[in-house]
Amino acid sequence: MASTPDMAGDRPLSVKELTDLALQYNFVPQLPLNRWYRAAEVVYREATHYLRDGNTPQAFMMFQRYCDLVIYKLRTHPEINLPESRPLYKALSKRVPAIIELMESMRVEIDEYYSRWEAQMRAQHRSQPSIKSTIRVVDPALSWSHASPGSILDARSNKDLAIEMANRERLRRRNATKTAPSWSPRLVSEDELQRRNMEAVRSQLDQSYRTPDSNDRLQSTNYSYPSIKQSAPLSYESRPHPPSPPAPAPRPLPPRPPKQLAEQRRPPSVEPPPRPRKELDRGDFITARSQSPVPPPKEALEPAPEPKRRYTFKPERYLENGDPIRSIFLPDSLRGRFLRIAEPNTRRGLEMCGLLCGANINNALFITHLVIPDQDCTENTCDTRNEADIWEFCDKEELIQIGWIHTHPTQTCFLSSRDMHTQASYQAMLSESIAIVCAPRYEPSWGVFRLTNPPGLPEMLKCRKTDPFHPHDVPGDQLYVNALQPAGHVIEAELNLDVCDLRGKT
C-alpha cells in the first residue's frame, strides 16, 4: 500500500545533513586499491541512477561521497603511487570537476525544498520543532522533494510493479544502445566517456527536477548561437513562354429571361451601399490580409500531460547497527544458468565465479546481468583477472556490481574465510551486496549470504590473514547471515537475465 509522506515527520534533509551522511563510511587503506576503485564506481553509478529517478537528495549525497573518496581518501592509499594505479585514479578524478558543478545546481534545489517545507510548517503554526523521522535521518533516499511528492511502497508487496519498472528501464537502455553511435569501448578516450556520462546526468537534471519558479535562476549561462548560412543571390532566367492554346469556339448564349423576372430582381433604388464603420477592427484587418489562417492554440490540440507519479521502495530490512538496506530482486533463472556455465569446472573439482550486476531503480536493486570474468580457478579459490574489462562493460551498460556468485564443487554451502574477505570488499561501500554459494553435491545446494554489521564486516576489514581457511576472533555463526527472504532482503522474481562472458576477450 502506498503512503503519502507526512509533512512534519517525513521532512526533507538539509544540505548539511546530507553532507554529514555522505562522510559516514569506513575507509580501510589495507583493502586492495582495486577494490576501492570498484567501490568508487558503484557510488558514482548509484548517484546517476538516483538522479535519473528524480531523487535529488540521495543523488547529492552519493556524489558528495564519491568526491570525498576520490579527492581525500584514495590519495592516502599505500598503492596509489604504483605505476599501474595512476591511470585508474586519473580516470576517477577527471569526473570530479563536472560533479562539483552539477552539485551546485542540486544544492540550490535542495535548499529550496527545505525552505519550502519550513514555510509550510510556519503556516501551520507549529510551535514545537518538527519531529525528525528515524528513517529520514539515516536514509536520505526517502527524504522527499516536496516539489514532486510520491508514494513509499513495500517492495515485497508490490513485486509486480517492481518488475514492471525494471522491464521499462531495461527497454530504455536497449533503445538507447540502439540509437547511440557505435564505438569500441577500448578506443574511446576517458574524456569522451566522462563527457557522455555527465552530459546525460546534466540533461536529466535540467529536464525533470527544476521547479517553475527556479528555472530562471538555474539556467546555464552558456548559449550556443545557431549558425546561419549566407543566402545566395536570386538568379532569373528568361524562358520562352509556351505557345497559347487555340481559343475554343464560342458557345451559344443562353436565352434571355423574361422581362418581368428581370424587373423583379432589379433593386428598388440605386443608392450607394452604406459606408463601413470607421473603427475597423485591426485584428480582423490583419486576419483578412494574411495569406494563411491563424493556427488554433496549441493547448487545444495537445493538452499538458499529467505529472508523472513517483514511487520509492522503502528499506526491506535493517542491519545489526540499525542502518537500512534496500531490497534486491534476484532472477530465479540465475542459479541454473550459472551452474550450466560452470559445469566443466565443477566436473574437474575447480571453483568458478560470476559477478551480479544490475541497476538501482526507485531505491531497489535489480540484478539484470550475470558477468563471467577472466579468472584463475583452483579447488578452493577463484580470483578475477583483467578487471578493466569488467569496469568497461559496466560503464557501457550503466551497471553497478551488486554481488557475486561462485561454486563449491567439493564442499558444502558456506562462506569460507577467503569468501568472507571477498564479500567484505563488496559490502564496504554497498551494504546490500550479497554472496551466492552453489554446492551442487550437497544439501542445501545453494545459499545467499551477507556479512553481519557488526560484527562480521568490521572483523573482516581488520583481519590480515590470507589463507583460504583461517580462524577469527568472532564465532563463525555470527559473521554472516542468510540474506534470502523471508529473513533477508533478497527477493526471487521472474526477471529477465543477460549473460556476458568476458573470458578470453583480451
Side-chain angles (χ1 to χ4, degrees):
M1 296 294 293
S3 60
T4 303
D6 176 70
M7 290 299 298
D10 297 333
R11 64 176 181 84
L13 296 181
S14 65
V15 170
K16 184 181 183 305
E17 289 173 317
L18 292 170
T19 301
D20 292 341
L21 287 173
L23 304 181
Q24 293 179 13
Y25 66 96
N26 294 323
F27 177 74
V28 182
Q30 290 78 14
L31 204 64
L33 186 59
N34 66 330
R35 306 289 175 85
W36 284 113
Y37 286 151
R38 181 178 63 199
E41 285 294 317
V42 169
V43 173
Y44 172 76
R45 190 61 58 193
E46 279 214 280
T48 61
H49 289 181
Y50 274 114
L51 190 58
R52 176 205 61 209
D53 292 339
N55 200 324
T56 308
Q58 178 76 355
F60 180 89
M61 193 207 74
M62 301 302 288
F63 278 133
Q64 182 73 51
R65 180 171 294 178
Y66 178 88
C67 292
D68 181 78
L69 177 60
V70 174
I71 297 175
Y72 300 107
K73 300 298 193 302
L74 291 185
R75 287 182 177 178
T76 65
H77 198 280
E79 301 176 17
I80 195 62
N81 292 321
L82 297 178
E84 59 270 21
S85 301
R86 293 170 186 169
L88 293 175
Y89 180 76
K90 184 178 180 181
L92 296 179
S93 59
K94 276 186 176 181
R95 291 174 175 159
V96 172
I99 290 177
I100 292 177
E101 180 183 352
L102 183 63
M103 287 174 61
E104 289 303 315
S105 298
M106 300 169 68
R107 182 190 301 270
V108 174
E109 293 198 26
I110 294 171
D111 287 339
E112 184 178 316
Y113 301 154
Y114 195 80
S115 299
R116 187 178 306 171
W117 175 82
E118 287 184 322
Q120 291 173 345
M121 290 298 99
R122 288 193 296 267
Q124 295 176 12
H125 303 287
R126 295 187 179 271
S127 57
Q128 298 180 353
S130 60
I131 301 174
K132 295 183 179 180
S133 169
T134 303
I135 292 179
R136 294 301 180 271
V137 172
V138 297
D139 190 3
L142 302 183
S143 175
W144 289 102
S145 158
H146 293 289
S148 55
S151 301
I152 302 177
L153 304 178
D154 177 76
R156 195 186 308 274
S157 303
N158 295 272
K159 184 187 294 188
D160 292 340
L161 176 61
I163 294 175
E164 180 184 348
M165 290 180 178
N167 290 336
R168 284 203 303 262
E169 174 62 15
R170 190 186 199 89
L171 180 61
R172 181 195 69 81
R173 295 186 183 188
R174 288 185 181 275
N175 293 337
T177 303
K178 291 178 181 179
T179 58
S182 60
W183 75 87
S184 171
R186 293 191 175 279
L187 299 179
V188 68
S189 65
E190 291 293 336
D191 290 335
E192 177 64 14
L193 284 175
Q194 169 61 14
R195 185 192 66 77
R196 290 171 181 170
N197 287 336
M198 296 312 301
E199 189 65 29
V201 172
R202 193 188 311 277
S203 174
Q204 184 71 14
L205 179 67
D206 290 340
Q207 295 175 6
S208 304
Y209 314 127
R210 291 183 179 171
T211 55
D213 54 348
S214 63
N215 261 345
D216 296 336
R217 287 181 296 159
L218 299 183
Q219 282 181 350
S220 174
T221 56
N222 297 326
Y223 181 80
S224 299
Y225 290 93
S227 59
I228 303 176
K229 296 182 179 180
Q230 184 176 2
S231 59
L234 296 176
S235 60
Y236 299 92
E237 296 180 1
S238 60
R239 297 181 180 177
H241 296 283
S244 301
R251 299 176 61 183
L253 296 176
R256 176 176 295 181
K259 183 176 181 180
Q260 183 180 3
L261 180 61
E263 291 178 353
Q264 291 178 359
R265 292 184 179 179
R266 183 179 300 171
S269 65
V270 291
E271 295 180 359
R275 178 178 296 179
R277 292 180 289 110
K278 185 175 181 181
E279 54 277 3
L280 180 64
D281 185 38
R282 181 173 177 82
D284 295 340
F285 177 73
I286 295 176
T287 304
R289 291 179 59 91
S290 61
Q291 298 298 323
S292 59
V294 178
K298 186 177 182 181
E299 290 75 14
L301 297 179
E302 300 178 6
E306 296 182 0
K308 183 179 179 181
R309 185 66 175 170
R310 285 187 56 203
Y311 298 100
T312 291
F313 293 107
K314 68 180 183 180
E316 179 66 23
R317 289 289 183 270
Y318 291 86
L319 296 175
E320 290 73 15
N321 62 5
D323 289 346
I325 52 177
R326 296 161 292 183
S327 302
I328 292 181
F329 286 88
L330 176 70
D332 53 8
S333 62
L334 184 144
R335 182 165 51 102
R337 297 185 67 176
F338 173 70
L339 286 175
R340 287 192 291 272
I341 296 174
E343 176 61 24
N345 274 24
T346 303
R347 287 198 304 265
R348 294 186 295 165
L350 302 178
E351 289 192 4
M352 187 172 181
C353 71
L355 305 179
L356 310 179
C357 301
N360 171 17
I361 304 174
N362 297 100
N363 205 42
L365 299 170
F366 295 81
I367 295 175
T368 58
H369 289 70
L370 169 63
V371 179
I372 308 298
D374 260 337
Q375 52 194 284
D376 296 319
C377 304
T378 69
E379 294 180 356
N380 299 316
T381 63
C382 49
D383 298 316
T384 60
R385 294 187 287 110
N386 300 326
E387 292 198 4
D389 292 340
I390 303 172
W391 296 334
E392 214 170 79
F393 174 77
C394 290
D395 185 76
K396 180 181 177 182
E397 299 294 328
E398 302 180 22
L399 301 173
I400 60 176
Q401 296 184 37
I402 301 175
W404 62 301
I405 182 172
H406 72 291
T407 55
H408 279 184
T410 60
Q411 302 176 56
T412 57
C413 180
F414 72 105
L415 287 182
S416 67
S417 302
R418 183 76 175 269
D419 295 340
M420 287 189 284
H421 280 258
T422 301
Q423 177 61 16
S425 67
Y426 281 90
Q427 279 187 229
M429 198 57 74
L430 188 66
S431 300
E432 295 84 0
S433 295
I434 58 174
I436 300 179
V437 180
C438 297
R441 300 182 182 179
Y442 297 90
E443 286 295 335
S445 60
W446 74 297
V448 184
F449 307 107
R450 69 163 176 87
L451 298 178
T452 57
N453 185 16
L457 181 60
E459 177 70 16
M460 293 303 110
L461 292 177
K462 73 176 185 179
C463 180
R464 300 292 171 263
K465 300 175 184 178
T466 58
D467 295 336
F469 305 97
H470 59 264
H472 295 95
D473 297 336
V474 178
D477 59 352
Q478 300 179 20
L479 292 175
Y480 63 91
V481 294
N482 178 24
L484 195 63
Q485 67 170 350
H489 64 293
V490 179
I491 305 170
E492 274 199 294
E494 295 182 3
L495 284 174
N496 293 326
L497 179 71
D498 289 335
V499 178
C500 177
D501 195 339
L502 298 179
R503 291 175 296 176
K505 296 297 181 183
T506 51

